[in-house]
Amino acid sequence: MTAPLTMITPDPDADARRRQGLRRMRSLAVGLLVLAAVVYVATLGLDGFWGFVNAGAEASMVGAIADWFAVTALFKHPLGLPIPHTALIPKRKDELGRSLEEFVGENFLQEEIIRDRAAAATISLRVGRWLAVPANARRAVDEVAEVAGAALGRIQEEHVEELVRDVLVPRFHAEPISPLLGSLLDETVRDDLHHGLIDLALDELHGWLVANPDAVAEILGERAPWWAPTRVNEAVISRLHRELVNWVEDIREDPRHHARQALDSMLAKLADDLLHDPVTQDRTERLKARLLDQPQVVASGVSLWNALRRSVQASLADADGPLRSRLVAETTSFAERVVADPALRARFDGLVADAAVFAVDRYGAELTAVITHTVDRWDGKEAARRIELQVGRDLQFIRINGTIVGGLVGVLIHTVSVLIG
């Protein structure tokens, strides 16, 4: 069985002020009751004007005592007597907690109310105005950078290794790669996206051939026939080098060169085979499987992650570095755009409202259930005392009003009695 939960006082000074205010209002209510009793005794048996006063004092006492009973019965047994339907809060706090949970859920956690409040809050405008100030944008970026750096530092290598080995590699094994490669290669060839890469490769190859004739001669010399005279081999190798340089230069300078066209045709055929030829697809999948089964795949994944993490952490840690400066500039620019664009603000406010509605739909029951669970664990007497401390001062107005209104009603009834009599 769960032990009762003691209610914690969040602010002792505030409670002291509430307690003082409650005592003051109680003293006023009791003082009015005593005054009514004194007036009643002093005017008892008198006629004329004092008869009206006596009737009013009598009714004031009745009203004051009745309302005292009603207010007291909420929190405890009046005079300690176990009268039925008294001490309601200590006895029925669990039902009150459930009722409060239902009340909050039905009247506050509704989609229309949430959307209205989100729209009225103009969150995107407020955030945009705040972030449009460079100092605020810098503060926000600094906080995000610090949190992101700490989060990256807490990711262990073994976690990354497990992710690559147990999640990514099995997923890559299960996912056919031929359709993906075929579609990507087909789009690349169709849009001529590979020509830039080919031009770069040709430039590098041409520069290397021109700058390294000795290396070319050494490579070709190893494959020259041993029986051929040295001068003949040197002349042939020199001619081959010149022809190779001229051929690469021709390909580089001529976008319509037949070698380029042959490469385009070969790539287009490979893309088609990857998409439609079962033999090519099978060979590609087997090659993928062999590569993924290599132990170096996991190690390479971890190494890549470590290099990326170190780079990002170093950039985030540099307060005056280009990454943070760029983030501040982009944040400020975007905030200014949000402030100036009502349509953009409306979209963001809609997203905020959608997120709030989703959170309430998904977790609203758990949120409101906290009320019931908390109230269930409260000690009944302690709960009554704390609630009385919060609202008891205002409830004393019921006693005061009962005394005054009762007196007026008593005078009115006495007046009617005199007129009828």
Side-chain angles (χ1 to χ4, degrees), residues 17 33 109 132 189 202 207 214 232 237 260 285 331 393 408 412:
R17 291 192 297 269
L33 174 59
L109 302 184
V189 173
L202 289 171
D214 294 338
V232 173
I237 290 173
R260 288 178 179 264
E285 297 302 324
T331 300
R393 180 179 182 277
L408 295 175
L412 179 60

Side-chain angles (χ1 to χ4, degrees), residues 223-298:
R223 290 160 177 78
W226 59 270
W227 44 265
T230 302
R231 291 187 177 182
V232 173
N233 285 339
E234 291 177 352
V236 171
I237 290 173
S238 177
R239 180 60 182 269
L240 287 175
H241 178 258
R242 290 195 303 272
E243 293 297 328
L244 184 59
V245 171
N246 293 335
W247 184 65
V248 171
E249 185 174 357
D250 291 341
I251 299 175
R252 185 186 64 177
E253 301 298 333
D254 184 6
R256 306 294 299 174
H257 196 278
H258 62 85
R260 288 178 179 264
Q261 295 177 355
L263 179 61
D264 290 347
S265 177
M266 182 190 68
L267 293 176
K269 180 65 169 59
L270 177 59
D272 184 72
D273 290 343
L274 287 171
L275 290 171
H276 305 105
D277 182 27
V279 176
T280 302
Q281 292 175 345
D282 181 66
R283 292 173 60 187
T284 303
E285 297 302 324
R286 284 189 281 110
L287 176 61
K288 177 197 74 175
R290 288 198 300 271
L291 292 175
L292 292 176
D293 289 338
Q294 296 296 320
Q296 292 81 1
V297 171
V298 176

Side-chain angles (χ1 to χ4, degrees), residues 67-85:
D67 288 336
W68 164 82
F69 182 90
V71 171
T72 304
L74 289 172
F75 306 103
K76 56 189 174 183
H77 295 299
L79 302 177
L81 301 175
I83 303 172
H85 303 293

Side-chain angles (χ1 to χ4, degrees), residues 10 32 107 117 126 137 155 170 203 210 219 234 240-241 250 274 352 388:
L32 289 176
N107 294 278
R117 293 312 305 160
R126 294 182 180 182
I155 301 177
D203 285 338
V210 172
I219 294 173
E234 291 177 352
L240 287 175
H241 178 258
D250 291 341
L274 287 171
V352 171
E388 183 180 15

Side-chain angles (χ1 to χ4, degrees), residues 292-354:
L292 292 176
D293 289 338
Q294 296 296 320
Q296 292 81 1
V297 171
V298 176
S300 298
V302 174
S303 299
L304 180 62
W305 161 253
N306 287 332
L308 178 62
R309 178 175 61 182
R310 287 192 296 268
S311 176
V312 174
Q313 284 181 313
S315 299
L316 291 174
D318 188 358
D320 298 322
L323 179 58
R324 285 205 192 184
S325 300
R326 184 65 178 177
L327 288 175
V328 171
E330 292 296 333
T331 300
T332 305
S333 175
F334 184 73
E336 292 173 349
R337 180 185 170 192
V338 169
V339 172
D341 189 346
L344 183 60
R345 292 202 306 272
R347 288 201 298 272
F348 276 111
D349 288 339
L351 291 174
V352 171
D354 290 341

Side-chain angles (χ1 to χ4, degrees), residues 108-124 344-362:
F108 294 93
L109 302 184
Q110 297 296 320
E111 180 175 351
E112 297 79 7
I113 297 175
I114 294 172
R115 291 192 180 278
D116 288 343
R117 293 312 305 160
T122 60
I123 296 174
S124 61
L344 183 60
R345 292 202 306 272
R347 288 201 298 272
F348 276 111
D349 288 339
L351 291 174
V352 171
D354 290 341
V357 169
F358 171 79
V360 168
D361 287 342
R362 191 174 184 88

Side-chain angles (χ1 to χ4, degrees), residues 362-419:
R362 191 174 184 88
Y363 305 108
E366 287 78 2
L367 291 175
T368 55
V370 173
I371 299 174
T372 300
H373 295 160
T374 303
V375 173
D376 285 345
R377 296 181 61 195
W378 283 353
D379 175 73
K381 293 182 179 180
E382 177 71 6
R385 189 188 70 81
R386 293 291 302 159
I387 294 173
E388 183 180 15
L389 194 60
Q390 292 287 335
V391 301
R393 180 179 182 277
D394 296 327
L395 291 178
Q396 300 310 308
F397 282 105
I398 297 177
R399 298 174 58 186
I400 295 171
N401 292 336
T403 304
I404 297 173
V405 173
L408 295 175
V409 172
V411 172
L412 179 60
I413 293 175
H414 186 71
T415 301
V416 173
S417 299
V418 170
L419 293 177

